[in-house]
Amino acid sequence: MKNNIVAALCFSLCLLPGHTFAQSGDGARGGGEIVDITLIGGGTMSVTLATWLNELEPDWNIRLYERRDGIAQESSDGWNNAGTGHSAFCEMNYTPQDEDGSVDIARAINVTEQFEISRQFWAHQVERGALRDPQSFISTVPHMSVVWGQENIDFLSERYQKMSSIPLYAGMQYTEDNATIAEWMPLVMDGREDNTPMAATRMDLGTEVNWGVLTRQLADHLANQPNVTLTTGSEVRELERNEDNTWRITVADVDSGEETIVNSRYVFNGAGGAALLLLQESGIPEAKHYGGFPVGGSFLYTTNPDVVSRHQAKVYGLAAEGSPPMSVPHLDLRYLDGTPTLFFGPFATFSTRFLKEGSWTNLFDSMTFSNVLPMMKVGLSNFGLVRYLVGEVMQDREDRLDALREYYPEANPDDWQLWTAGQRVQIIKKTDDGSKLQFGTEAVVSEDGTMSALLGASPGASTAPPIMLNLLTRVFPDRVESAEWQTKLKEIIPSLDMKLADNPELLREVRLNTARALELEGQEAFILANMAADDSSEAQATEGSSETFEQTTEPESGEVGDVENADEEERRESATDR
């Protein structure tokens, strides 16, 4: 074993490219103006941060560069993710069992709180015209969890009991009655043996979100602002610190190769899977703590209207024992290209690419003398993940259909096609105790705050607004505390710095206002029916007021931020033909 490890290490080091780390420059160079902030990548994270900054500092000069020929074409595109508004209503991996067997809902509460911030952010953008037609990117779709087997039923029952006692989950339903489950999710129950013991929960405040449409609408609004420049088909290739602590950024036209230089006071690296490579290119000491492991995903999908019309929900199951959180199976209603669609998966894929349209050398390019050993240690200590990935990669079409039949017993193979979704780079972090593999998101910020990056994946776009808000507190702490920014932040997020789980009346008003602004069908009636109100707020709700709730409770301290998924033209033609 020792010889194998040494051989693997030597092989990895032989593949290492000669990284060019940042060197001190001679002040701001390049002959152009110094812009205030440059954002790398045209996905949900960068566009969300640009939207925050443009509202908070409308005079700042903001540049955004995207290497693809359009915005949100990698992981943010609707076909490259599950489209779930991750609010912890149905994702059972957010409520793990402790060593004593009890269910821990702390992380679920954190995710739910953050998704409420996202809803407020999007509602505000709709009200000010930065987002058009909310029904084009967000829809009400019930979120459900389903399990079978007595041990899993006991788990779901305790999960429900703990969650339903908290205002955040008011209105959640639980059943062990197979007839009721059949009403909630007909496809899941059709053809299933009657004596199968099952349990399910349902939350009608769930959402389906097309992150690609949402991101492109925000980007369109930004592109029309005089202080913002969005450029596609442009790849950031070098990051070099100047003597005045600005950053010299080399940007190349993808088609022509022509390079231009931009000097920027601040840089945010939101390049998705490529973020790690660019973070290393920056040369900041903080980059040395990280490595990355790419994991891709694929889904079976159908647009057969007879099938899709009988599954109006997002149904999540439990990951198989020993499998990582990314493997949680789910059968989802989606709205893509204007067509209702069902997705089932994910099925893990493996590639050394860090982006769907990246290079096969990405993984090897990311290896450095400081992270290669931690990466190997993580591989050796996470044998379950390696075994899972090998098993997934070895699957054929029939294996995937068998997995689908566990959730849809009567699935017709002719209805389903395989779609390769986006790449996710899981974080490998060097720690004092060695190294660890992380499945969440993590913001990395230089000591002086001028260089920042976002690494990782889940829950990703669902919590982009609070993640980027947390980044602002780290990069611009004085500005965040200023009276000007505080006034604007509370206008955007009425529940700023407050725990909604501890303020049921505020939670009710926030949900009512966001449901109305985002035109979420059925949610206002659900909130009124399931969340109690005092007389004054009941009168306001009856009048249908959509005014922003005025904060009357003293804010509580609390951190907002990190909490922790066929060829395209052929696929679209195929969907149209059907």
Side-chain angles (χ1 to χ4, degrees), residues 62-127:
I62 300 172
R63 300 282 182 91
L64 185 149
Y65 295 99
E66 165 57 43
R67 66 186 292 271
R68 299 288 297 272
D69 60 5
I71 294 296
Q73 292 190 1
E74 281 282 346
S75 294
S76 298
D77 183 76
W79 282 89
N80 290 338
N81 55 71
T84 301
H86 286 301
S87 45
F89 295 153
C90 61
E91 306 93 331
M92 290 177 280
N93 56 306
Y94 294 155
T95 52
Q97 285 185 296
D98 291 333
E99 292 183 0
D100 62 1
S102 62
V103 178
D104 183 358
I105 67 170
R107 188 183 179 206
I109 291 172
N110 195 12
V111 172
T112 308
E113 293 268 7
Q114 293 192 65
F115 191 70
E116 295 297 331
I117 291 175
S118 294
R119 283 178 57 134
Q120 292 172 74
F121 180 83
W122 300 326
H124 174 78
Q125 302 309 323
V126 169
E127 290 168 346

Side-chain angles (χ1 to χ4, degrees), residues 149-162:
Q150 193 57 52
E151 184 177 348
N152 293 334
I153 291 173
D154 293 342
F155 161 77
L156 188 61
S157 176
E158 183 181 348
R159 178 183 188 271
Y160 164 75
Q161 290 171 18
K162 286 191 172 182

Side-chain angles (χ1 to χ4, degrees), residues 339-416:
T339 303
T341 305
L342 289 190
F343 265 33
F344 177 77
F347 304 100
T349 62
F350 178 74
S351 165
T352 56
R353 301 175 190 269
F354 277 6
L355 293 167
K356 189 173 181 179
E357 297 296 329
S359 168
W360 69 269
T361 66
N362 288 158
L363 175 60
F364 308 113
D365 291 345
S366 74
M367 295 178 181
T368 68
F369 288 100
S370 63
N371 71 17
V372 66
L373 190 56
M375 289 172 68
M376 293 181 65
K377 288 181 178 179
V378 163
L380 292 172
S381 62
N382 286 269
F383 183 72
L385 173 60
V386 176
R387 182 174 56 188
Y388 162 75
L389 288 174
V390 171
E392 290 284 289
V393 171
M394 295 296 292
Q395 284 187 333
D396 58 18
R397 176 173 170 80
E398 194 56 39
D399 293 327
R400 296 186 182 99
L401 288 169
D402 286 343
L404 170 62
R405 291 188 184 103
E406 291 187 25
Y407 286 81
Y408 176 17
E410 296 185 344
N412 181 348
D414 295 338
D415 290 332
W416 296 84

Side-chain angles (χ1 to χ4, degrees), residues 345-495:
F347 304 100
T349 62
F350 178 74
S351 165
T352 56
R353 301 175 190 269
F354 277 6
L355 293 167
K356 189 173 181 179
E357 297 296 329
S359 168
W360 69 269
T361 66
N362 288 158
L363 175 60
F364 308 113
D365 291 345
S366 74
M367 295 178 181
T368 68
F369 288 100
S370 63
N371 71 17
V372 66
L373 190 56
M375 289 172 68
M376 293 181 65
K377 288 181 178 179
V378 163
L380 292 172
S381 62
N382 286 269
F383 183 72
L385 173 60
V386 176
R387 182 174 56 188
Y388 162 75
L389 288 174
V390 171
E392 290 284 289
V393 171
M394 295 296 292
Q395 284 187 333
D396 58 18
R397 176 173 170 80
E398 194 56 39
D399 293 327
R400 296 186 182 99
L401 288 169
D402 286 343
L404 170 62
R405 291 188 184 103
E406 291 187 25
Y407 286 81
Y408 176 17
E410 296 185 344
N412 181 348
D414 295 338
D415 290 332
W416 296 84
Q417 300 181 57
L418 187 67
W419 171 251
T420 300
Q423 287 284 102
R424 305 290 187 271
V425 178
Q426 309 301 328
I427 303 168
I428 296 175
K429 185 175 182 180
K430 188 176 181 179
T431 65
D432 293 338
D433 300 326
S435 56
K436 65 177 179 178
L437 181 66
Q438 299 180 187
F439 291 104
T441 53
E442 182 157 351
V444 182
V445 181
S446 64
E447 185 176 3
D448 64 358
T450 61
M451 173 66 65
S452 58
L454 190 77
L455 305 178
S458 180
S462 296
T463 53
I467 287 174
M468 292 298 97
L469 179 55
N470 183 58
L471 184 75
L472 292 175
T473 67
R474 296 177 63 184
V475 175
F476 307 109
D478 293 338
R479 291 180 181 272
V480 168
E481 294 300 320
S482 69
E484 294 79 10
W485 274 38
Q486 280 292 308
T487 298
K488 177 57 70 173
L489 288 172
K490 289 175 182 177
E491 176 187 332
I492 300 170
I493 310 295
S495 69

Side-chain angles (χ1 to χ4, degrees), residues 18 46 101 146 172 193 249 273 300 326 333 372 379 476 516 535:
S46 290
V146 65
M172 180 180 282
E193 295 181 3
I249 305 167
L300 289 170
M326 71 184 76
L333 174 65
V372 66
F476 307 109
R516 291 163 181 155
D535 293 340

